[in-house]
Amino acid sequence: MDYSNLRRQAASMKKSLFDQGYLDEQFCQVEDLQDEASPNFAEEVITLFFKDSARLISNIEQALEKYPKDFNKWDAYMQQLKGSCSSIGASRMKSECMSFREFCGQGNVEGCMKSFQKVKREHGVLRQKLEAYFQLLRQAGPAGAATRPGM
Amino acid sequence: MSTMAVPPEPPHVLAVDDSIVDRAVISRLLRSSKYQVTTVDSGKRALEFLSLDSNVHMIITDYCMPEMSGYDLLKRVKETAELREIPVVIMSSENSPARIRMCLEEGAEDFLIKPVRPSDVSRLCSRLITR
């Protein structure tokens, strides 16, 4: 198997994720925390993120239904999700979370609902893209991690 | 000015955050800087841990947590004779000058804006050694 080609593909994929705004520098910081003791740390954290963010999104969905116009509650839940996005460098998701919170601040129900749909969409897209990225990295082998895209 | 002797074992940090993702990241950050780390998910659990094991050299806590905020935890630590000398660092994703001032006035060692960087942790390490 051509491992160097796989590594190039992974690097190109990562660069694309940065160029399209899905990820920011914080993702590189997370990857940089990998070492011999924790060689898969980035993938482990990203996996944790998607499990936890799915839970938070579900919480928000329930809150939107059970607590109409409770903007404080909606905002509090979204703040948690935004924080997690920020911690792993999920830039686009973070922006949509911030939009939602702005709509909460304005008391704009329709804005919140539309924004929440965007959050879910970005979540789904990012999950697919990062799953593909980490699958490539696994195929590429141990040396296929922690390269910075040309930013 | 006297310097605190570096303990023979790695400094033990208690990291407090209700976010499982943030706990994983801060824990890895601290461990990569050679700290020994215990993580808990709430201020309440932090106080429970501290009552059993006061061999903690620093507490680093998120500000925004349900039930007991990082600020409330800071106050409880500073009000407790056995714990008040432990430096407490607050982390927050919100860069609020009022919040920062409030925490520092209550005795926080430092206030870090999330996401926390390796350079933030290095700075804390230096200050811990020279306290």
Side-chain angles (χ1 to χ4, degrees):
Chain A
M1 184 166 291
D2 187 355
Y3 293 112
S4 62
N5 187 36
L6 287 171
R7 282 194 284 275
R8 267 195 300 276
Q9 283 182 47
S12 173
M13 193 181 281
K14 186 162 89 167
K15 183 175 185 306
S16 171
L17 289 171
F18 275 81
D19 290 345
Q20 292 173 57
Y22 287 104
L23 298 176
D24 62 31
E25 171 63 21
Q26 179 61 20
F27 184 81
C28 292
Q29 299 276 350
V30 170
E31 282 195 317
D32 283 350
L33 291 174
Q34 292 183 152
D35 60 15
E36 284 171 7
S38 298
N40 303 313
F41 176 73
E43 186 174 2
E44 287 164 8
V45 165
I46 299 305
T47 302
L48 252 182
F49 168 76
F50 281 112
K51 268 191 195 162
D52 196 51
S53 55
R55 179 186 64 84
L56 292 171
I57 284 172
S58 174
N59 287 349
I60 295 167
E61 201 136 45
Q62 286 176 40
L64 291 173
E65 195 178 335
K66 277 189 194 170
Y67 306 106
K69 294 192 180 179
D70 192 341
F71 296 106
N72 287 338
K73 197 181 277 291
W74 297 359
D75 181 74
Y77 278 124
M78 190 57 81
Q79 185 183 16
Q80 290 181 46
L81 181 58
K82 185 206 134 199
S84 286
C85 292
S86 182
S87 295
I88 65 131
S91 182
R92 270 206 197 178
M93 256 194 84
K94 185 175 97 171
S95 294
E96 293 303 341
C97 292
M98 286 165 68
S99 290
F100 180 93
R101 295 188 72 199
E102 280 169 23
F103 285 123
C104 284
Q106 295 163 13
N108 184 337
V109 172
E110 193 183 339
C112 286
M113 296 300 180
K114 285 184 176 168
S115 183
F116 181 58
Q117 294 308 315
K118 287 184 183 175
V119 169
K120 288 203 292 186
R121 214 160 31 241
E122 290 297 339
H123 182 257
V125 169
L126 185 64
R127 178 182 221 136
Q128 277 183 339
K129 290 185 181 292
L130 286 179
E131 277 175 358
Y133 171 68
F134 283 111
Q135 186 173 25
L136 249 187
L137 278 187
R138 272 184 255 121
Q139 288 170 343
T147 54
R148 261 177 170 69
M151 289 167 60
Chain B
M1 187 171 78
S2 65
T3 55
M4 191 174 83
V6 176
E9 289 178 357
H12 183 196
V13 179
L14 178 63
V16 190
D17 202 311
D18 61 315
S19 161
I20 190 170
V21 172
D22 287 0
R23 283 202 303 279
V25 173
I26 192 66
S27 171
R28 186 77 200 100
L29 250 179
L30 290 166
R31 288 197 171 108
S32 68
S33 295
K34 310 299 179 203
Y35 286 98
Q36 181 191 343
V37 186
T38 298
T39 59
V40 293
D41 63 2
S42 68
K44 182 181 165 197
R45 289 205 210 277
L47 292 172
E48 285 169 1
F49 181 84
L50 290 164
S51 70
L52 298 170
D53 182 353
S54 58
N55 186 29
V56 166
H57 299 99
M58 185 171 72
I59 299 165
I60 182 163
T61 177
D62 187 28
Y63 181 93
C64 239
M65 295 186 291
E67 292 177 19
M68 183 184 282
S69 70
Y71 177 72
D72 294 330
L73 175 60
L74 166 68
K75 282 178 68 174
R76 289 285 293 272
V77 167
K78 295 305 170 187
E79 285 164 3
T80 307
E82 301 82 19
L83 304 176
R84 70 164 60 106
E85 294 304 316
I86 302 174
V88 180
V89 174
I90 308 287
M91 303 180 285
S92 176
S93 56
E94 310 282 340
N95 190 355
S96 159
R99 183 180 288 184
I100 295 169
R101 189 169 49 247
M102 191 172 74
C103 291
L104 295 177
E105 283 173 359
E106 195 59 44
E109 183 72 21
D110 208 332
F111 192 105
L112 305 178
I113 304 301
K114 283 181 164 182
V116 175
R117 300 270 193 267
S119 55
D120 294 325
V121 173
S122 300
R123 192 175 78 240
L124 290 178
C125 186
S126 306
R127 287 169 68 164
L128 194 62
I129 290 170
T130 57
R131 249 174 86 84

